[in-house]
Amino acid sequence: MAFQNETNKGRVTSMVDTLHLILKSAQANRAENHEIVAMLRPLTDELAGPGLAADMSAAAPAPTTAALTAGERAALHLADRASLRDLIAALMGRLDAHAAQACRTAPKAAP
């Protein structure tokens, strides 16, 4: 049976729906970014795969804005004001980028 099938598509949809609920809860509870990162760390570690997960640092509170570059401060400013829909879109974009990178770097299987 092929990997890309309706069962697996349904599973992914279910995971995305669950992520939406978690992010909605974070917004309702006014969670800070570092709290959301800490909560989602096990998920992002699994999605990153064993090669990247080992390189990820543990979730930590966000650094003070004085220690950030101008670009990082701008990104933080935008993220703090972003809607839940925009945050989800950004997260999904990052996950797609990681998946695409993993496909490019994975060894090709012999036919």
Side-chain angles (χ1 to χ4, degrees):
M1 178 168 23
F3 171 71
Q4 292 188 6
N5 56 49
E6 291 306 311
T7 300
N8 285 334
K9 289 178 184 178
R11 290 174 176 150
V12 170
T13 300
S14 177
M15 287 187 276
V16 170
D17 291 344
T18 301
L19 176 62
H20 290 179
L21 291 174
I22 292 167
L23 294 175
K24 183 177 179 181
S25 175
Q27 185 178 40
N29 289 291
R30 293 186 170 91
E32 295 185 23
N33 287 345
H34 68 90
E35 293 173 305
I36 298 169
V37 169
M39 178 66 71
L40 294 176
R41 177 65 60 191
L43 173 64
T44 57
D45 286 350
E46 286 295 319
L47 291 170
L52 295 174
D55 296 333
M56 291 182 162
S57 62
T64 62
T65 55
L68 301 175
T69 66
E72 290 168 332
R73 283 193 302 275
L76 184 61
H77 175 79
L78 292 172
D80 285 343
R81 285 152 187 77
S83 69
L84 179 60
R85 173 182 244 156
D86 291 341
L87 291 172
I88 292 168
L91 177 62
M92 296 284 93
R94 294 291 297 174
L95 294 175
D96 287 343
H98 280 289
Q101 182 181 19
C103 288
R104 284 192 305 267
T105 60
K108 303 258 184 207

